[in-house]
């Protein structure tokens, strides 16, 4: 059963064809939106419908009978697909819930075992993506007394595109109510998995108890997540007290859709789950929730709406990283936001088309240069158009420099340099011509200038017409270079 909230009331605000990334002014609320509705009615409608997708969220009462549970999964997936869902989410432990730790370990299967194989076939048969919220994965040989609690994403061709091993294990002892010690038989996951691009949006993979740790969800947002999933088997006691509050809080603070499939009912004499599988929108409204028992509910996700929530209340810009540091994923796990998420990027009074953009994060982008002073001279720019360096928020400064570091490493590698010059021309007296803070990165080589500091003189004059140091490059040349450099950040 589907319960849609009063979301539609909010949607009377017309949608914009472009999002906040093109211009700073778009960050503020919908001042001139009425105009847009009239003049671009058809256009906005088209974009509107293209960004809305349906997801199916399942609730089930798994037992230790693997065959029965698999049949339930197949029925739920078929039912959700029949209702138009493009992706179906199953709860944690959808393969089985063991009656003892030993049984849980004994019944576990490898990733290429029968259970996942059957799920892959179901994805192909129903032409849907699947989130297998958690299955008991056999641990490596040397750890065979334990297992991994693994969340698996399968695409509609049946490929396993991502796996995430639950990081926070649920060890709880409330005398007389619940006693569970997951770490007795489960190995904790060792890494955050970068958000996965799917037809319904970029999904950050988490599991159940992870919902109590906002840091990990914020790290996923930094990397570009639009949807956070918490497939769960929440206990009755903790569910009654916290389930809805936690899911709504994570949705509100991350400004993501939260999708939480759930186990429900009495799985065995010792274990029961709370149920209430639900989808929460980025404003915190519950837009779908399963009824009692086994079933599936369908929710509509609208990424335009998500962008609007983020534009109207840009909490990502307001983070005081100077006071409490930045929630950041390790260096190796970088943004997954593709540059083509926007048609074009505002750069002062100019527009940079997305095919000239190399890399983008939540707050910054990097682009190739129309008139490079040296080969590989690129720019790193905050998405918010602001003229002075001192106007950047701590979160923007942090993001700008982390982006510069990553992009700098890529251009040095690509252009065979081991040194680079980084420069910000902060204000017109410092040579700034485009009134939008930007950082130049120039790979440097032996003998590229007569005197080292000549680089600054050339930087100052390179974009002034009366001193044509280098000729303007064509759009095609720039797009080609950007495509080469993107390979350092995105796997096609
Ligand atoms: C960008 O913002 C400036 C004000 O900061 C405004 O004057 C200009 O019209 C905006 N450009 C677009 C394309 O919206
Ligand atoms: C929208 O486009 C269709 C054709 O694509 C046209 O017939 C219709 O009049 C347009 N409506 C508006 C409000 O512009
Ligand atoms: C569980 O398995 C361990 C070793 O595999 C064994 O020592 C123990 O007796 C078993 N416990 C139960 C309750 O079967
Ligand atoms: C869950 O399954 C168990 C075992 O089959 C059954 O006893 C129980 O009634 C079911 N509970 C719900 C709520 O479906």
């Amino acid at each position: 059963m589907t319960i849609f909230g009063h979301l539609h009331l909010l949607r009377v605000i017309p949608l914009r064809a472009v999002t906040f990334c093109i211009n700073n002014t778009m960050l503020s609320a919908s001042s001139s939106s009425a105009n847009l509705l009239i003049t671009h009615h058809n256009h906005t409608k088209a974009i509107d419908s293209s960004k809305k997708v349906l997801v199916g969220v399942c609730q089930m009462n798994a037992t230790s009978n693997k065959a029965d549970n698999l049949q339930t999964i197949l029925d739920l997936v078929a039912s959700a697909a029949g209702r138009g869902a493009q992706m179906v989410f199953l709860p944690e432990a959808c393969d089985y819930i063991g009656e003892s730790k030993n049984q849980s370990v004994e019944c576990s299967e490898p990733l290429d075992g029968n259970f996942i194989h059957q799920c892959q076939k179901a994805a192909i048969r129903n032409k849907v993506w699947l989130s297998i919220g958690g299955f008991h994965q056999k641990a490596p040989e040397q750890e065979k007394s334990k297992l991994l609690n693994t969340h698996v994403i399968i695409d509609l061709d049946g490929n396993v595109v991502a796996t995430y091993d639950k990081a926070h294990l649920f060890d709880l002892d409330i005398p007389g109510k619940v006693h569970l010690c997951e770490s007795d038989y489960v190995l904790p996951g060792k890494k955050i998995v970068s958000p996965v691009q799917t037809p319904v949006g970029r999904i950050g993979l988490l599991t159940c108890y992870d919902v109590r740790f906002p840091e990990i969800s914020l790290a996923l947002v930094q990397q570009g997540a639009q949807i956070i999933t918490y497939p769960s088997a929440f206990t009755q006691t903790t569910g009654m007290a916290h389930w809805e509050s936690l899911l709504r809080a994570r949705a509100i603070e991350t400004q993501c859709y939260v999708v939480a499939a759930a186990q429900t009912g009495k799985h065995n004499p010792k274990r029961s789950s709370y149920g209430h599988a639900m989808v929460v929108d980025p404003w915190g409204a519950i837009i779908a929730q399963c009824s009692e028992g086994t079933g599936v509910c369908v929710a509509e996700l609208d990424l335009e709406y998500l962008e609007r929530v983020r534009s109207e209340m840009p909490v990502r810009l307001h983070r005081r990283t100077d006071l409490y540091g930045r929630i950041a994923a390790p260096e190796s796990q970088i943004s997954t936001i593709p540059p083509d998420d926007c048609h074009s990027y505002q750069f002062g009074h100019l527009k940079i088309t997305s095919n000239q953009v190399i890399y983008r994060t939540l707050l910054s982008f990097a682009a190739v240069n129309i008139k490079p002073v040296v080969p590989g001279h690129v720019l790193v720019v905050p998405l918010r158009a602001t003229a002075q360096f001192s106007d950047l928020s701590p979160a923007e400064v942090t993001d700008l420099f982390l982006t510069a570091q990553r992009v700098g490493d890529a251009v040095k590698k690509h252009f065979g340099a081991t040194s680079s010059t980084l420069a910000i021309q902060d204000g017109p007296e410092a040579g700034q011509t485009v009134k939008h803070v930007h950082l130049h990165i120039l790979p440097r080589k032996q003998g590229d200038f007569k005197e080292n500091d000549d680089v600054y003189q050339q930087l100052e004059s390179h974009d002034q017409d009366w001193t044509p140091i280098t000729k303007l490059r064509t759009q095609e040349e720039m797009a080609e270079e950007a495509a080469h450099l993107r390979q350092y950040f995105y796997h096609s």
Side-chain angles (χ1 to χ4, degrees), residues 6-117:
H6 42 259
L7 186 73
H8 293 122
L9 287 180
L10 290 170
R11 294 219 180 105
V12 296
I13 303 168
L15 298 165
R16 289 175 186 286
V18 283
T19 51
F20 64 88
C21 51
I22 191 163
N23 199 332
N24 180 23
T25 52
M26 303 278 179
L27 279 168
S28 60
S30 46
S31 48
S32 62
S33 40
N35 251 340
L36 225 119
L37 179 65
I38 296 159
T39 54
H40 295 297
H41 185 70
N42 269 358
H43 182 51
T44 49
K45 258 296 215 275
I47 287 200
D48 182 19
S49 54
S50 75
K51 292 232 177 169
K52 284 184 184 170
V53 287
L54 294 181
V55 296
V57 184
C58 301
Q59 180 164 291
M60 61 189 279
N61 172 16
T63 63
S64 57
N65 186 327
K66 289 168 74 169
D68 284 357
N69 301 331
L70 181 61
Q71 191 54 54
T72 303
I73 290 172
L74 299 181
D75 293 346
L76 290 171
V77 171
S79 158
R83 290 165 66 185
Q86 287 177 260
M87 181 152 185
V88 185
F89 295 79
L90 291 151
E92 182 183 27
C94 55
D95 53 347
Y96 60 88
I97 292 185
E99 286 167 28
S100 67
K101 286 168 188 169
N102 277 12
Q103 191 188 35
S104 294
V105 174
E106 278 158 18
C107 292
S108 65
E109 293 185 14
L111 190 60
D112 58 3
N114 180 60
F115 176 70
I116 293 299
H117 184 59

Side-chain angles (χ1 to χ4, degrees), residues 158-393:
N159 303 306
V160 169
V161 294
T163 63
Y164 162 73
D165 300 328
K166 184 182 188 182
H168 301 93
L169 299 182
F170 188 59
D171 292 346
L172 174 83
D173 190 8
I174 303 177
K177 288 194 169 149
V178 209
H179 174 81
L180 267 168
C181 193
E182 197 174 13
S183 62
D184 280 352
Y185 65 105
V186 178
L187 298 167
K190 296 197 177 102
K191 61 179 202 293
I192 296 176
V193 173
S194 294
V196 182
Q197 184 73 59
T198 75
V200 303
R202 280 187 299 278
I203 301 187
L205 305 185
L206 293 174
T207 307
C208 197
Y209 188 50
D210 289 330
V211 74
R212 292 179 187 269
F213 305 90
E215 295 90 340
I216 197 163
S217 59
L218 292 171
L220 287 169
V221 173
Q222 287 282 350
Q223 294 178 47
Q226 296 165 314
I227 300 163
I228 311 260
T229 48
Y230 294 107
S232 299
F234 238 68
T235 70
Q236 282 284 352
T237 308
T238 55
M240 284 199 308
H242 304 147
W243 173 249
E244 181 183 324
S245 308
L246 285 169
L247 294 174
R248 293 183 64 198
R250 293 301 84 82
I252 294 164
E253 72 205 2
T254 59
Q255 301 183 316
C256 283
Y257 278 96
V258 162
V259 177
Q263 291 282 352
T264 190
K266 207 165 164 61
H267 312 293
N268 60 51
K270 286 187 292 190
R271 178 109 185 249
S272 25
S273 297
Y274 178 64
H276 297 82
M278 64 171 69
V279 180
V280 185
D281 78 10
W283 191 244
I286 298 170
I287 57 166
Q289 181 169 185
C290 283
S291 344
E292 292 270 304
T294 297
V296 55
C297 62
V298 173
E300 183 184 71
L301 309 191
D302 179 351
L303 296 181
E304 278 290 342
Y305 176 65
L306 177 144
E307 289 302 344
R308 197 162 67 240
V309 167
R310 291 184 177 187
S311 304
E312 291 172 359
M313 191 189 282
V315 294
R316 68 194 177 285
L317 295 176
H318 301 155
R319 277 223 152 76
R320 290 296 302 274
T321 49
D322 55 330
L323 300 183
Y324 42 70
R326 178 177 181 269
I327 299 296
E331 192 57 35
S332 61
Q333 294 168 345
I334 56 183
S335 162
T336 55
I337 307 175
D340 299 324
D341 249 22
C342 303
H343 303 299
S344 62
Y345 290 75
Q346 198 72 34
F347 179 42
H349 57 287
L350 308 168
K351 263 183 198 169
I352 295 182
T353 55
S354 67
N355 66 0
Q356 292 162 35
V357 174
I358 303 162
Y359 179 57
R360 76 160 277 198
T361 67
L362 205 56
L363 301 179
S364 315
F365 70 95
V368 298
N369 207 325
I370 194 161
K371 245 186 181 183
V373 167
V374 294
H377 172 191
V378 297
L379 304 176
V380 182
V381 188
L383 285 166
R384 187 170 68 97
T386 188
Q388 297 263 279
F389 186 62
S390 55
D391 293 338
L392 295 178
S393 75

